[in-house]
Amino acid sequence: MNQKIPDYLANFRINIQMLLFVLVFSIAFVSIYTPFDLTSWYQSNDDVMKMVYASITVLGCVSILVLSRFILWAVCRRDQISILQYVLWIASEVIFIVFVYSVFNKFALKDARPFEDIFKRALVFVPSILFVPYLVSYLYYSLKEKNSKLNSLLDKKEIWDNKPYTHVDEVFNFCDEKGRLKLSILLANVYYLASADNYVNIYYID
């Protein structure tokens, strides 16, 4: 969990794209899916007003998320946060949204239910609604990043394959941080090197 988050999670433009998807999905979800009937959210018999209230609420929640992701982007510009910190950040967003929604519903919309009941119900609804768009977005951008890295490696391989090479007998010596020799290998047998925190993975012909 101390591993740093992927770059795309700290990218402000990608976060805005994700939140636009969250906005569209959330409005459609609370309007269509029966277990999230708007009657459970708003004490009103007017379907139009319930839809208006739902739209205002979702827009307000997404506005909070935009502000939160802007702050996250600013923090990550200094130092990329860990996965655990990111999970805690998302959890804090959810709690804050639930609190704001409960206050808005209780005092602005004059909901007759006790504040605790509104808060508890929202604490179930909000994470449930956000889970699907978050999951889809993360999977999409994760796959996109992996495809980008793979294409980059393939492009480099193509350049390498087409490049005239004369030093096939050149030997690479790999040493540890104290300068001690750990591995000697022909350069022609090396596929590629990959950094892994404080280590280096060497991929080569056995």
Side-chain angles (χ1 to χ4, degrees), residues 68-150:
S68 174
R69 297 311 167 87
F70 179 79
I71 296 172
L72 176 65
W73 169 76
V75 169
C76 288
R77 288 187 68 185
R78 298 180 181 179
D79 185 28
Q80 201 88 317
I81 64 175
S82 68
I83 293 177
L84 177 59
Q85 290 172 320
Y86 184 77
V87 170
L88 293 175
W89 191 290
I90 298 298
S92 300
E93 287 179 346
V94 171
I95 296 297
F96 186 70
I97 288 172
V98 168
F99 177 77
V100 171
Y101 161 78
S102 302
V103 170
F104 173 75
N105 211 48
K106 179 65 179 178
F107 299 104
L109 302 183
K110 307 299 182 183
D111 196 319
R113 294 173 295 179
F115 181 83
E116 294 78 8
D117 290 349
I118 302 173
F119 187 88
K120 289 177 182 177
R121 183 175 292 274
L123 198 57
V124 174
F125 282 168
V126 172
S128 301
I129 293 172
L130 292 178
F131 175 76
V132 173
Y134 273 12
L135 179 62
V136 171
S137 298
Y138 294 149
L139 290 176
Y140 170 76
Y141 285 108
S142 176
L143 180 61
K144 189 175 180 180
E145 183 184 49
K146 284 179 169 51
N147 284 337
S148 176
K149 289 182 178 179
L150 178 60

Side-chain angles (χ1 to χ4, degrees), residues 7-187:
D7 291 337
Y8 65 87
L9 291 180
N11 185 294
F12 186 67
R13 180 180 60 82
I14 289 178
N15 273 277
I16 294 301
Q17 292 174 355
M18 291 171 59
L19 295 181
L20 287 174
F21 176 55
V22 169
L23 174 63
V24 174
F25 181 89
S26 299
I27 292 177
F29 196 61
V30 299
S31 302
I32 297 172
Y33 194 44
T34 303
F36 292 87
D37 185 2
L38 294 179
T39 306
S40 303
W41 287 70
Y42 305 101
Q43 300 299 302
S44 172
N45 294 321
D46 189 334
D47 291 338
V48 175
M49 288 307 299
K50 285 190 289 187
M51 190 62 204
V52 170
Y53 292 151
S55 299
I56 292 173
T57 301
V58 171
L59 285 170
C61 293
V62 171
S63 299
I64 292 172
L65 291 174
V66 170
L67 177 60
S68 174
R69 297 311 167 87
F70 179 79
I71 296 172
L72 176 65
W73 169 76
V75 169
C76 288
R77 288 187 68 185
R78 298 180 181 179
D79 185 28
Q80 201 88 317
I81 64 175
S82 68
I83 293 177
L84 177 59
Q85 290 172 320
Y86 184 77
V87 170
L88 293 175
W89 191 290
I90 298 298
S92 300
E93 287 179 346
V94 171
I95 296 297
F96 186 70
I97 288 172
V98 168
F99 177 77
V100 171
Y101 161 78
S102 302
V103 170
F104 173 75
N105 211 48
K106 179 65 179 178
F107 299 104
L109 302 183
K110 307 299 182 183
D111 196 319
R113 294 173 295 179
F115 181 83
E116 294 78 8
D117 290 349
I118 302 173
F119 187 88
K120 289 177 182 177
R121 183 175 292 274
L123 198 57
V124 174
F125 282 168
V126 172
S128 301
I129 293 172
L130 292 178
F131 175 76
V132 173
Y134 273 12
L135 179 62
V136 171
S137 298
Y138 294 149
L139 290 176
Y140 170 76
Y141 285 108
S142 176
L143 180 61
K144 189 175 180 180
E145 183 184 49
K146 284 179 169 51
N147 284 337
S148 176
K149 289 182 178 179
L150 178 60
N151 290 333
S152 177
L153 285 173
L154 291 174
D155 289 342
K156 290 178 180 178
K157 181 180 182 300
E158 184 177 353
I159 294 173
W160 182 267
D161 290 343
N162 295 330
K163 183 178 178 181
Y165 188 70
T166 56
H167 303 288
V168 292
D169 293 329
E170 185 176 350
V171 174
F172 262 20
N173 295 320
F174 295 94
C175 301
D176 62 15
E177 68 276 6
K178 295 183 179 179
R180 292 175 299 198
L181 181 64
K182 289 296 182 181
L183 176 66
S184 291
I185 188 169
L186 289 174
L187 177 59

